[in-house]
Amino acid sequence: MGAWVSVLLGMDGAEAEAAAAAAGAGPAAVGLGDLPELCAAQVLLRLDPPEICRLARLNHAFRGAAGADFVWEAKLPENYSYLMEFVGSGDEGRRRRRRAGKKEIYARLARPVPFGDGQKEFWLDKSTGMICMALSSKALVITGIDDRRYWQHMPTSESSFQSVAYLQQIWWFEVVGEVDFCFPVGTYSLYFRVHLGKFYKRFGRRHFSSEHVHGWDKKPVRFQLSTSDGQQALSQCYLEEPGSWVLYHAGDFVASKPDQPMKLKFSMAQIDCTHTKGGLCIDSVLFYPKGKGFQQERVVRSQK
């Protein structure tokens, strides 16, 4: 243990033993609990937030260092003040934001922060310090959405917004959205979360029906993404795998100016009117740091 502490303090073995002898104790008497809090904080600066929280349970030194503002400020995106403007409202919200420590700010941003009348939300990705974002189907412009012959809003616990848009049948399929936001620096990927077939629960078990699923194997769906600074992506693919939620990758974009809003426009469309298509659930549009893994849902990367 003494050798481990000497490495953290930048000493070699002889220096560590000399320092311990000068203090009237042998190397064996030096333990992890003797690590100065400032040194403990330097260790924490090199760890991810989940690792910091685990190490804080180890002893008093790490527990004290884990509350230091400079440790958590290093984990926050540089435009965290802008992000915190979405938390709370009115004078009381502003007072809470001013009093909050950096650890408290990090903890709040790591939980979903709703905006846009509750139809959008963002949260801090704990491993990258970048932003994840979700836009519900109600935040999107969907052709024919107000006509019950084509679409219906279906309540479900399988959506974080508790509702999805279900398409029975239509000739012209188009879903368009946009967002104006100051993204922390990094590369982001955009996905459409969709499900072929209507799903429901019966006696506590999940079931789905493919009754209305048709038309998606005749022509591919096109995905488009553009940004206000000139970035563009265009891809297409066939929709497959009925009965499961699938994340269809629409494209990537790079955020380089966290203090300037970036406007993104994106769409998902199959507008060939020679055939109808239907049986599709639209849940949301998702923004994630590029390369972020998905453990529970399949990701389909379209052909450019």
Side-chain angles (χ1 to χ4, degrees), residues 209-224:
S209 168
S210 59
E211 177 185 359
H212 298 126
V213 177
H214 68 283
W216 306 110
D217 57 342
K218 298 182 182 299
K219 291 289 180 67
V221 169
R222 298 187 70 188
F223 299 93
Q224 294 188 70

Side-chain angles (χ1 to χ4, degrees), residues 142-154:
I142 301 176
T143 301
I145 190 65
D146 295 324
D147 193 327
R148 290 199 167 189
R149 292 175 300 172
Y150 308 129
W151 291 91
Q152 60 179 275
H153 290 290
M154 190 171 74

Side-chain angles (χ1 to χ4, degrees), residues 225-233 262-263:
L225 166 65
S226 64
T227 69
S228 53
D229 62 357
Q231 301 177 64
Q232 294 189 27
M262 174 185 285
K263 177 172 282 190

Side-chain angles (χ1 to χ4, degrees), residues 107-176:
R108 181 62 193 92
L109 292 178
R111 302 194 305 272
V113 178
F115 69 106
D117 297 326
Q119 296 178 1
K120 306 172 185 178
E121 62 185 24
F122 70 85
W123 62 96
L124 198 63
D125 177 60
K126 295 178 182 179
S127 60
T128 65
M130 295 162 63
I131 284 296
C132 301
M133 185 180 292
L135 280 62
S136 79
S137 59
K138 293 182 179 179
L140 307 174
V141 178
I142 301 176
T143 301
I145 190 65
D146 295 324
D147 193 327
R148 290 199 167 189
R149 292 175 300 172
Y150 308 129
W151 291 91
Q152 60 179 275
H153 290 290
M154 190 171 74
T156 175
S157 60
E158 295 190 15
S159 167
S160 60
F161 297 100
Q162 304 303 309
S163 173
V164 300
Y166 177 69
L167 171 66
Q168 297 183 97
Q169 179 172 287
I170 205 165
W171 292 89
W172 183 288
F173 171 80
E174 188 172 27
V175 180
V176 179

